[in-house]
Amino acid sequence: MARPAVYSRSICDAGGAAYCRRAPAPTTSRTATHCPYCSLQCGMEIVQQPGAPLEVAPSAFPTNRGTMCQKGWTAGALLGHPDRLTTPLVRDGRGADLRPASWDDALDRVAAALRETARRHGPDAVGVFGGGGLTNEKAYQLGKFARVALRTSAIDYNGRFCMSSAATASQRAFGIDRGMPFPLADIAETDAILLVGSNLAETMPPAMAYLDEQRARGGTLVVIDPRATVTARQADLHLQPMPGTDLALANALLHIAVKDGFVDEAFVRERTSGFSFAEQRVGAYWPDRVERMTGVAVDAMRRAVRLLGQAPTAMVLTGRGPEQQSKGTDTVLAFINLALALGHAGRPLCGYGCLTGQGNGQGGREHGQKADQLPGYRRIDDPQARRHVAGVWGVDPDDLPGPGRSAWEMLDAIGRDGAIRALLVMGSNLVVSAPDSARVQRRLAELDLLVVADLFVSETALQADVVLPTTQWAEEDGTMTNFEGRVVLRRAALEPPANVRSDLEILEAIAQRLGCGERFASQPRQVFDELRRASAGGKADYAGITYERIAAEDGVFWPCPDEQHPGTPRLFLDAFATPDGRARFHPVSHRAVAEEPDDEFPLYLTTGRTLVHYQSGTQTRRVPQLREAQPEAFVELHPALARSMGIEERDLVGLRSRRGTATARAHLTPDIRPDTLFMAFHWGGAGRANLLTNPALDPDSRMPEFKVCAVRIETIEPEPRGATP
């Protein structure tokens, strides 16, 4: 059988630019906007002509430069989809079916239940869970709604599951977190790139063109990944470590850099602090010792250091691979240590960057969705920050709650004394996307009230007591912040269905019923202008960014403190954002993953995304072209492992961990280690990868360990031999 369609050469090919298709000839009626999917936020246009079907076409925006991936090209299929939610749904008691209801009925129920829950159990018994796909305006308003209308500390969002380890590490090392401290275009100009745990060819195909340009200029690409992904196969050097050993590998690379004389001593002396402690720590990470720990050959480690150390300019970029671990913060810090020691930071065409995943994963964590933050990337426990934001909101600083639980901790506490009893979910499908998802599903069932606002009836909405239909990307204005820190503008091109409301309108309507509706605007521009005031003076300062500037300048990079400021495409060229302007080294030590394989569960499982689907698949699984390209869950395993277990291509197999069992079709590939399995997390039902994953948390970022857990595999149903796929 041929490989799954995710690898089909009709979808992706050997060269980066070939992962994307070019725009058709220009037509007349166009609305400039941005793709509803990943954090690249490709520019696109919605093309409408009387009597003709709506079309979506890429624009010549600086990030995607006239190309899009297949998800972007088919995004128009979500508009007017027959599964679209077009009326509120309510459930008349436990066990009853969801039924259509009026907005007044649905909102009255929500407000009454929220008020009664807070009265009986206290304000922290009411929780709010947001999403990394919400616009800046929605993320900001959701955080304000939690703290002002509900006065609860119980708010977090699914971005905690995405880039929180990199954010924590960047704050510690550089004093600020912005996905990439330089524009995407700089990647094409740098001399060497170390790409860790990211498969750009499938997760952000248009970005591969920059890697193509970089290599065409004579640059080098080093990839660290347990899988020989499409991206890794294009690298000059691929290091394929055992899952969960990235930190040991990073420390070994720094050890070699020290021993072989590649440390930029002048840069370390003049622009950093703490190097001696990091140097001492990596002294124990002898390359031959780390080879035994990781499976990466010493010669390959030395070659990687030489390629990076001899390059005049270089970048270190991380994805979810090193970040979604119970030691994700320390792992990212180890790679930052390497970049700093080599002098590849704070200079043109150099630096560390996080390839943020979700569409607004960057902006979503800047303006108040996280349990410990206020707008502008301010800490909620900082008295000065509380005074500033409370002044914008017109409330007493003492009335603002303090820090709350992180995403997983909030969900796992449902049903316990003092924990949340009512939960509002916006822009997240927890039943599919949370780790140990069967446990989350059980927790959600213990709530007195679950409210879900979404475009479709997701797996989480199926458990809800109230489901509220919301507008989507082409039906509303709003801003997003891509992984460069570039604030971009989405524009409404269509009227939403008659009985659908925006998330901002929903929050305003609930706030009105709670007696504070005058504090909550429902127009995106009004909310953005308030966000600008609330963020002013913070690390993520949007005060000088306006809708007009965004449109005229192809987006504006934060920080931008006033309207005369040009924005900041490149951070740290003069100083880092620490009190003394120096970047910080952090001595970090490797430790084992939370769950090592054993006799009962002898294999590693790692998870991730594929080319044609996105996140929990709520949207992409409803697009015919994408569903046909990859219709069901699959698991990658090495042919040698498959032979030893009698598993053949497309057999239905079961994967079991200490948390649950998932089923998927077997896909045999030599691109994965024999001790490792890979599942994508885009499917619900029995194909949920997160039925297996381990919620063990990073002690600093509170990131669950999605990227590695112990499993076993067994055949459930052999594929009839000779059958066609």
Side-chain angles (χ1 to χ4, degrees):
M1 174 196 157
R3 301 166 72 112
V6 66
Y7 298 113
S8 167
R9 293 179 73 87
S10 66
I11 297 176
C12 57
D13 213 309
Y19 290 101
C20 316
R21 294 162 51 199
R22 288 282 160 187
T27 55
T28 53
S29 177
R30 297 174 178 269
T31 302
T33 188
H34 291 268
C35 179
Y37 294 115
C38 80
S39 67
L40 193 57
Q41 283 298 288
C42 290
M44 63 165 54
E45 294 174 318
I46 297 175
V47 184
Q48 300 174 86
Q49 290 181 321
L54 177 147
E55 296 180 21
V56 171
S59 67
F61 197 73
T63 52
N64 57 305
R65 301 183 298 187
T67 66
M68 287 193 303
C69 74
Q70 193 178 22
K71 292 189 291 293
W73 276 101
T74 58
L78 298 171
L79 305 167
H81 194 283
D83 290 351
R84 180 77 184 277
L85 271 168
T86 56
T87 189
L89 304 174
V90 300
R91 199 185 304 274
D92 296 322
R94 288 296 164 89
D97 293 334
L98 286 167
R99 65 165 179 83
S102 69
W103 273 101
D104 281 342
D105 181 10
L107 293 171
D108 287 348
R109 287 177 182 231
V110 171
L114 295 179
R115 187 184 298 110
E116 179 62 12
T117 300
R119 185 190 69 79
R120 293 181 59 192
H121 304 287
D124 284 350
V126 179
V128 177
F129 201 99
L134 299 179
T135 63
N136 287 316
E137 291 82 356
K138 294 177 183 180
Y140 168 83
Q141 197 79 313
L142 192 63
K144 177 183 175 182
F145 177 81
R147 277 105 185 192
V148 174
L150 302 177
R151 299 182 68 175
T152 181
S153 68
I155 176 172
D156 213 272
Y157 83 127
N158 62 16
R160 179 77 69 171
F161 299 158
C162 187
M163 67 293 294
S164 59
S165 292
T168 303
S170 292
Q171 290 273 14
R172 291 184 173 184
F174 306 123
I176 199 169
D177 159 45
R178 196 178 83 183
M180 293 205 310
F182 41 75
L184 182 62
D186 283 4
I187 287 177
E189 302 296 322
T190 195
D191 295 298
I193 296 170
L194 176 62
L195 182 64
V196 189
S198 175
N199 183 14
L200 275 179
E202 294 192 48
T203 59
M204 296 179 185
M208 282 300 291
Y210 293 94
L211 292 183
D212 287 346
E213 291 178 27
Q214 187 258 356
R215 294 196 311 284
R217 288 183 52 258
T220 57
L221 173 64
V222 179
V223 171
I224 297 176
D225 200 305
R227 302 166 63 219
T229 63
V230 180
T231 308
R233 291 198 297 272
Q234 296 186 50
D236 299 278
L237 176 63
H238 174 208
L239 310 183
Q240 197 168 6
M242 189 182 303
T245 61
D246 316 70
L247 199 163
L249 180 57
N251 276 356
L253 297 179
L254 181 53
H255 177 109
I256 293 169
V258 172
K259 296 296 184 183
D260 291 359
F262 287 112
V263 173
D264 186 333
E265 295 181 359
F267 177 86
V268 168
R269 181 175 60 254
E270 295 165 8
R271 300 205 57 190
T272 73
S273 64
F275 174 67
S276 62
F277 299 104
E279 179 183 24
Q280 182 178 18
R281 186 65 56 87
V282 302
Y285 289 82
W286 291 96
D288 55 350
R289 175 194 174 211
V290 174
E291 178 178 358
R292 293 190 296 272
M293 296 167 67
T294 65
V296 176
V298 172
D299 287 348
M301 295 184 215
R302 293 193 183 281
R303 185 182 171 203
V305 174
R306 187 165 61 250
L307 289 172
L308 295 169
Q310 291 178 344
T313 60
M315 296 175 180
V316 176
L317 307 176
T318 65
R320 305 297 78 75
E323 300 165 17
Q324 287 182 321
Q325 299 184 29
S326 59
K327 53 181 181 297
T329 299
D330 284 355
T331 302
V332 174
L333 284 169
F335 283 107
I336 290 175
N337 287 345
L338 177 65
L340 293 175
L342 298 175
H344 293 321
R347 297 167 46 213
L349 306 180
C350 292
Y352 162 76
C354 162
L355 299 170
T356 300
Q358 296 190 76
N360 201 30
Q362 181 68 54
R365 67 184 186 262
E366 294 168 1
H367 298 301
Q369 280 194 103
K370 284 183 72 176
D372 57 353
Q373 286 183 352
L374 290 172
Y377 235 137
R378 290 179 163 93
R379 290 189 57 85
I380 199 168
D381 56 3
D382 178 351
Q384 184 176 348
R386 293 170 65 86
R387 284 193 298 272
H388 172 83
V389 174
V392 175
W393 290 349
V395 299
D396 189 322
D398 292 338
D399 288 341
L400 297 178
R405 293 183 172 101
S406 72
W408 167 257
E409 292 167 305
M410 181 170 73
L411 296 173
D412 193 41
I414 293 171
R416 300 178 186 175
D417 290 343
I420 58 175
R421 306 292 309 173
L423 182 66
L424 169 62
V425 179
M426 279 190 166
S428 189
N429 187 8
L430 299 169
V431 169
V432 176
S433 63
D436 194 0
S437 59
R439 182 170 166 185
V440 169
Q441 197 166 358
R442 293 192 299 270
R443 292 281 190 259
L444 294 178
E446 297 181 39
L447 288 164
D448 297 332
L449 174 74
L450 174 61
V451 182
V452 173
D454 213 330
L455 316 175
F456 301 102
V457 180
S458 67
E459 287 82 355
T460 306
L462 284 172
Q463 285 198 231
D465 301 289
V466 180
V467 182
L468 304 175
T470 64
T471 52
Q472 57 174 308
W473 62 285
E475 300 164 351
E476 59 188 10
D477 294 331
T479 61
M480 307 283 279
T481 305
N482 79 350
F483 69 170
E484 306 167 290
R486 185 196 305 257
V487 184
V488 301
L489 180 62
R490 285 185 178 174
R491 295 179 177 86
L494 307 170
E495 289 294 325
N499 206 29
V500 169
R501 299 187 183 183
S502 73
D503 293 304
L504 294 178
E505 290 171 329
I506 290 169
L507 292 174
E508 180 191 42
I510 299 174
Q512 285 176 344
R513 287 164 170 79
L514 296 177
C516 55
E518 73 282 356
R519 298 186 186 277
F520 294 89
S522 61
Q523 295 305 307
R525 185 185 289 263
Q526 284 181 269
V527 177
F528 188 73
D529 285 342
E530 184 179 299
L531 180 159
R532 293 170 59 201
R533 297 195 301 275
S535 72
K539 290 181 178 180
D541 191 334
Y542 283 35
I545 303 176
T546 66
Y547 278 21
E548 289 75 18
R549 285 194 63 183
I550 296 171
E553 301 172 27
D554 282 337
V556 180
F557 291 84
W558 69 261
C560 183
D562 58 66
E563 293 186 36
Q564 286 68 50
H565 192 281
T568 315
R570 295 171 183 84
L571 297 172
F572 313 142
L573 295 183
D574 298 317
F576 295 97
T578 56
D580 61 3
R582 291 173 173 265
R584 305 283 195 266
F585 281 91
H586 288 79
V588 290
S589 298
H590 173 73
R591 55 187 183 273
V593 296
E595 186 178 74
E596 292 278 10
D598 56 21
D599 291 342
E600 185 179 6
F601 300 99
L603 300 169
Y604 291 104
L605 173 71
T606 190
T607 65
R609 280 171 51 190
T610 64
L611 177 66
V612 299
H613 287 299
Y614 182 71
Q615 301 303 81
S616 71
T618 302
Q619 297 175 73
T620 54
R621 284 187 275 125
R622 287 179 163 84
V623 176
Q625 299 96 314
L626 305 181
R627 185 176 62 247
E628 291 164 10
Q630 201 171 66
E632 59 184 339
F634 67 93
V635 56
E636 289 185 354
L637 67 160
H638 195 278
L641 173 63
R643 283 194 300 271
S644 72
M645 304 197 66
I647 295 172
E648 297 192 30
E649 184 73 22
R650 284 196 56 78
D651 281 355
L652 185 65
V653 296
L655 282 75
R656 182 180 295 275
S657 75
R658 289 178 173 84
R659 288 152 296 282
T661 302
T663 59
R665 291 289 174 186
H667 171 53
L668 279 56
T669 173
D671 296 338
I672 194 163
R673 293 172 53 96
D675 58 3
T676 302
L677 308 175
F678 169 82
M679 279 189 76
F681 47 63
H682 307 303
W683 285 273
R688 276 182 286 170
N690 281 319
L691 289 166
L692 307 166
T693 50
N694 190 352
L697 299 181
D698 180 292
D700 301 304
S701 67
R702 317 309 289 170
M703 166 74 81
E705 192 154 57
F706 288 99
K707 276 293 181 273
V708 55
C709 68
V711 298
R712 67 173 182 262
I713 185 171
E714 56 194 17
T715 302
I716 296 177
E717 171 195 315
E719 178 75 2
R721 301 309 165 215
T724 56

